[in-house]
Amino acid sequence: MRITWLASYPRSGNTWLRFLLFNYFWGVPTHSSQVALRIPDLHKPRRELAPALDLARQENAVHLFIKTHHPLSKSHPMIEQTGGFIYLIRHPKDVLLSLMNYHGVQPADAPAYARQFIDTGSDPFMPHFGTWDQHAASWLGSRPKLLLRYDHMRADPTGAMEAVLEFLGESSSPERVARAVAASTFDAMRKMEELEAAVDRDSGLFNLGVHASNAQKFVHRGTIAGSLQELSPELDRLLEQRFGPTIERLLPPADAPPVAPGSK
């Protein structure tokens, strides 16, 4: 069985894509743990990954999707089982803003956190994933792949889902695509997170860890074209300066379609 990796730098839309895929292939879930079982997270303990692999084998599944935030390398777990990958790329400014929410960075600490992200090119709390630009370059130099741009997904989730199905070699059902998109809105995912948190904050896919506060949300606002101006105009300028050349090289033009299978 070959793996289709759902690869991304953290906070780039991976969970959203998992919900879109689940809603298309398996129907609307009643709990996020159902999504985690069908489309597991490589970064969870092996005991949580094993049931998903066993289920896929038992059903002789056509597709085995696994989420990864690792950069691509020869040491990537199960890399020899790769059939292809979907890479989600999000503007580093929006990644930074989402990471600050995810980690619960307090306003007083936000400028220092942002400056460290800019200076190092990576999340200060998760440096093992490498820099944003190195991460993208590691995956985008390989094939077969589909490159999904986050702001395109936000603008046209139906088109993004159709591109995913084409990449997977699946015929697209307009009704199922519409159902998947409607069931995977940020409002729908946020409502599921809130309902699960009220019962057991750590029981599903939205687990933020033992250090999370009740105010934190896994499903944030899905920001596009965010700005650091409120923190500091200088930080906004420095981020554009730090990542500008890589953004021009790796992020396709705003009106470009998703990268087709096998493309560079």
Side-chain angles (χ1 to χ4, degrees):
M1 188 184 330
R2 310 301 287 175
I3 297 170
T4 299
W5 297 104
L6 309 183
S8 68
Y9 195 80
R11 308 307 294 174
S12 296
N14 210 308
T15 297
W16 182 23
L17 180 58
R18 291 166 79 191
F19 268 86
L20 283 165
L21 287 167
F22 185 96
N23 282 316
Y24 185 86
F25 286 107
W26 294 283
V28 179
T30 57
H31 195 279
S32 68
S33 60
Q34 295 169 269
V35 180
L37 176 60
R38 291 287 186 176
I39 309 176
D41 184 342
L42 185 65
H43 307 285
K44 295 297 183 181
R46 183 71 186 186
R47 65 179 181 275
E48 295 184 30
L49 181 61
L53 300 178
D54 291 341
L55 181 61
R57 292 189 189 100
Q58 291 168 13
E59 296 182 347
N60 195 23
V62 175
H63 303 294
L64 173 57
F65 306 110
I66 301 181
K67 165 190 171 180
T68 178
H69 288 321
H70 286 304
L72 182 60
S73 70
K74 293 180 180 180
S75 62
H76 189 288
M78 298 188 290
I79 197 63
E80 70 282 354
Q81 299 178 45
T82 300
F85 63 90
I86 300 169
Y87 191 82
L88 295 96
I89 190 165
R90 187 180 188 185
H91 196 289
K93 199 176 296 186
D94 295 329
V95 168
L96 170 57
L97 292 170
S98 186
L99 281 168
M100 286 196 292
N101 166 75
Y102 178 78
H103 293 307
V105 176
Q106 298 302 306
D109 301 322
Y113 174 90
R115 184 58 189 260
Q116 191 170 352
F117 179 89
I118 294 166
D119 288 346
T120 64
S122 61
D123 175 21
F125 293 108
M126 298 185 286
H128 49 286
F129 292 134
T131 69
W132 175 87
D133 39 7
Q134 290 172 345
H135 191 284
S138 74
W139 284 96
L140 297 182
S142 299
R143 60 177 70 185
K145 64 171 176 285
L146 174 69
L147 172 62
L148 286 181
R149 182 168 161 166
Y150 183 86
D151 56 342
H152 286 179
M153 288 181 67
R154 288 286 278 155
D156 184 14
T158 297
M161 193 63 198
E162 290 172 345
V164 167
L165 294 169
E166 180 182 0
F167 173 70
L168 296 172
E170 293 278 345
S171 57
S172 175
S173 165
E175 295 79 12
R176 289 170 65 187
V177 169
R179 180 194 69 190
V181 169
S184 305
T185 63
F186 279 71
D187 285 344
M189 291 189 294
R190 192 176 296 111
K191 183 177 181 180
M192 180 176 285
E193 178 183 2
E194 291 170 353
L195 289 172
E196 292 177 13
V199 177
D200 181 357
R201 188 170 175 82
D202 298 329
S203 67
L205 179 151
F206 304 113
N207 180 9
L208 283 168
V210 296
H211 301 296
S213 70
N214 289 329
Q216 284 173 259
K217 297 291 185 292
F218 189 98
V219 181
H220 198 212
R221 294 176 295 179
T223 303
I224 55 174
S227 172
L228 304 181
Q229 291 288 340
E230 291 185 8
L231 288 180
S232 160
E234 177 66 4
L235 286 173
D236 201 78
R237 184 190 67 79
L238 287 172
L239 188 142
E240 291 286 353
Q241 184 180 57
R242 165 65 176 79
F243 293 107
T246 308
I247 290 169
E248 291 182 9
R249 181 167 54 89
L250 295 181
L251 275 171
D255 58 351
V259 175
S263 299
K264 292 184 178 180

